[in-house]
Amino acid sequence: MNELFSNRISGVAPSFIREILKVAMDPEIISFAGGLPNRDLFPVQALQKATNDLFNEDGKDILQYSSTEGYLPLREMIAADYKRKGLQISVDEILITNGSQQGLDLLGKVLLNEGDQVLIEEPGYLGAIQAFEVYSAVFNSVPVHQDGMDIDALKETLKTSNAKLMYTVPNFQNPSGISYTDENRRAVADCLLNKKILLIEDNPYGDLRFSGEEKQSFKALLPDQTILLGSFSKTVVPSFRLGWITAPKALMDKLVIAKQAGDLHTNYFCQRVLHRFLQDNDLQAHIKKIIAVYGHQKQVMENAIKRCFPEQVSYINPEGGMFLWVTLPEGMSATELFDKALKYKVAFVPGDPFYVEKRGLNTLRLNFSSVDPDIIEEGIKRLGKVLHELLDN
Ligand code: PMP
């Protein structure tokens, strides 16, 4: 059978995280490995009411085929939210996608030829690496630090790279939780300005800020070159698979063709239910609730880390989002730690899959959004025990 597969798919590995999540399914294991929103915050009753109301009022229409671009009133709501944040984006520049993940796939389809270079953050979102690998991209990694992208490394890479696409998650990055400072964003924008390169600002976590100040979007700094991706997965529910892509008109026309060929349109029923939910409920108030819970969970994790981890282990304190990034002492492998931690029934994601090439790294990702505070305490205590055993001898 193998000889029947396309070159395109043969070189793409299955997601390493999916494999880890299988191991972490054991109910006795405390898992910081997932990347899930907290299910206790899903607005179950309000979504049920929106669905019932729609069936009663508009039952036939909500079950029909619809337009590729997406439900216009939903796109209008997205445009209005950008306006509230000071960004002028018209409805014609917004395409509703099957999660923001589909936005990445469509961009790969429309922009990448085999062997084309893509600049990507290191560490970077595994789902973006996988999406562009399917289009046989060649990656140029640029490290990110606590304050954002390494500008010297970016300048150096741009000297030799002919990448036409650069991928970033500037707010509460997956996996590292870091955010680019305003100064760093301006420096990145200066490097890219007037070059033939498009910048993807993937922003699924931007609304989930529990401390610090809101930062400027690349869309404001580099309006003609920025493609913004958004998602309802972390602010409402992920199962609807509703996200969006904003792009200039010429690119949008091509994205619409690619989407037509792929799936005709995003699930219209879910778009209608979500739109109704947003009409009848205060999304900002709902997001405030999420922020309060995640901010607390992050704080509980941080306090436990301070108490339980050896002092040679450091971490980045995120201002929002769902992840906390840990760095072990130089030379210590997080993958080896993972195997030992499983014996203590605690799991996390070792850093390796977030890097395009490097392996055996000393970094790891902890998710705090989907674990209850008392379980976070216990899990970090167990992880601290393993770390002390390894480092105190
Ligand atoms: N981008 C980033 C940075 C993510 O972390 C995720 C979810 N893990 C996605 C995109 C995809 O999200 P969705 O397709 O649910 O919108």
Side-chain angles (χ1 to χ4, degrees):
M1 179 64 89
N2 279 355
E3 66 277 12
L4 298 181
F5 296 140
S6 69
N7 295 340
R8 193 182 310 116
I9 203 70
S10 299
V12 184
S15 160
F16 182 69
I17 294 191
R18 297 261 166 268
E19 301 303 310
I20 286 183
L21 290 183
K22 273 187 227 157
V23 180
M25 288 288 271
D26 174 351
E28 279 184 33
I29 288 186
I30 295 179
S31 177
F32 300 121
L36 305 181
N38 191 326
R39 49 184 266 154
D40 293 337
L41 292 160
F42 293 160
V44 178
Q45 274 155 11
L47 287 173
Q48 188 173 18
K49 181 171 185 315
T51 309
N52 288 341
D53 289 350
L54 276 174
F55 266 119
N56 289 334
E57 292 161 26
D58 229 353
K60 288 184 182 161
D61 187 52
I62 59 173
L63 300 174
Q64 189 54 284
Y65 279 119
S66 185
S67 69
T68 303
E69 288 81 354
Y71 185 49
L72 184 62
L74 182 61
R75 291 156 65 212
E76 283 168 350
M77 280 180 169
I78 295 167
D81 194 54
Y82 279 130
K83 195 167 176 202
R84 190 177 61 81
K85 293 170 177 157
L87 294 176
Q88 290 296 336
I89 295 174
S90 78
V91 283
D92 298 334
E93 296 170 301
I94 298 171
L95 169 69
I96 305 287
T97 54
N98 193 44
S100 50
Q101 190 68 29
Q102 188 189 33
L104 297 171
D105 177 62
L106 293 177
L107 287 167
K109 201 176 254 178
V110 164
L111 294 167
L112 296 178
N113 290 316
E114 197 179 330
D116 275 355
Q117 295 177 354
V118 173
L119 288 183
I120 189 157
E121 300 165 322
E122 178 182 87
Y125 171 49
L126 177 64
I129 296 174
Q130 204 182 33
F132 299 140
E133 266 180 351
V134 171
Y135 296 99
S136 307
V138 173
F139 293 104
N140 300 150
S141 305
V142 183
V144 285
H145 305 307
Q146 178 117 20
D147 291 342
M149 197 157 259
D150 182 326
I151 299 297
D152 289 339
L154 175 62
K155 283 183 181 158
E156 210 43 46
T157 306
L158 284 170
K159 278 186 197 161
T160 52
S161 166
N162 54 12
K164 48 182 165 181
L165 209 53
M166 172 158 148
Y167 175 79
T168 66
V169 184
N171 293 313
F172 326 127
Q173 196 226 27
N174 181 2
S176 71
I178 64 129
S179 297
Y180 295 23
T181 61
D182 276 331
E183 193 188 353
N184 187 264
R185 287 168 202 239
R186 281 194 295 274
V188 170
D190 281 349
C191 290
L192 302 188
L193 187 66
N194 297 327
K195 292 207 166 62
K196 276 209 159 33
I197 183 165
L198 294 170
L199 182 141
I200 301 174
E201 176 174 353
D202 187 6
N203 191 29
Y205 305 104
D207 284 334
L208 305 182
R209 172 178 291 284
F210 35 74
S211 62
E213 298 291 313
E214 182 143 349
K215 306 290 186 291
Q216 240 188 339
S217 164
F218 277 116
K219 184 73 187 167
L221 296 166
L222 211 55
D224 300 332
Q225 288 166 259
T226 300
I227 300 161
L228 254 175
L229 300 186
S231 175
F232 290 107
S233 290
K234 277 81 186 184
T235 51
V236 186
V237 282
S239 74
F240 280 17
R241 309 303 304 120
L242 288 177
W244 67 89
I245 179 165
T246 79
K249 176 83 175 71
L251 175 57
M252 184 52 77
D253 290 347
K254 299 293 183 207
L255 291 168
V256 168
I257 294 171
K259 182 155 170 72
Q260 264 165 5
D263 64 0
L264 303 184
H265 63 75
T266 298
N267 184 319
Y268 180 58
F269 176 73
C270 287
Q271 291 185 66
R272 290 293 304 270
V273 173
L274 179 77
H275 172 261
R276 183 58 177 251
F277 164 80
L278 295 174
Q279 228 176 14
D280 293 350
N281 296 273
D282 181 350
L283 180 64
Q284 293 316 312
H286 179 61
I287 289 174
K288 265 195 192 147
K289 267 192 230 161
I290 300 177
I291 291 172
V293 173
Y294 289 7
H296 177 62
Q297 285 167 309
K298 192 278 299 182
Q299 199 53 54
V300 169
M301 181 174 270
E302 194 187 348
N303 293 347
I305 286 176
K306 281 186 181 148
R307 246 188 355 262
C308 305
F309 281 11
E311 58 180 26
Q312 309 95 298
V313 176
S314 62
Y315 64 93
I316 289 176
N317 186 10
E319 293 187 336
M322 311 194 326
F323 303 110
L324 191 146
W325 189 243
V326 173
T327 303
L328 306 171
E330 202 65 46
M332 185 174 181
S333 157
T335 310
E336 281 171 27
L337 177 71
F338 177 78
D339 293 334
K340 296 210 164 64
L342 277 188
K343 298 199 179 91
Y344 286 74
K345 304 249 177 253
V346 58
F348 55 83
V349 184
D352 288 14
F354 304 109
Y355 297 74
V356 177
E357 278 171 356
K358 297 178 186 157
R359 294 293 171 260
L361 295 160
N362 62 334
T363 46
L364 60 102
R365 187 189 79 176
L366 297 175
N367 166 262
F368 50 80
S369 59
S370 63
V371 191
D372 287 343
D374 50 336
I375 310 285
I376 291 179
E377 296 249 10
E378 175 58 28
I380 295 295
K381 205 157 93 188
R382 290 184 197 178
L383 208 47
K385 247 190 214 158
V386 190
L387 283 164
H388 275 292
E389 268 183 24
L390 288 170
L391 288 168
D392 294 349
N393 296 319

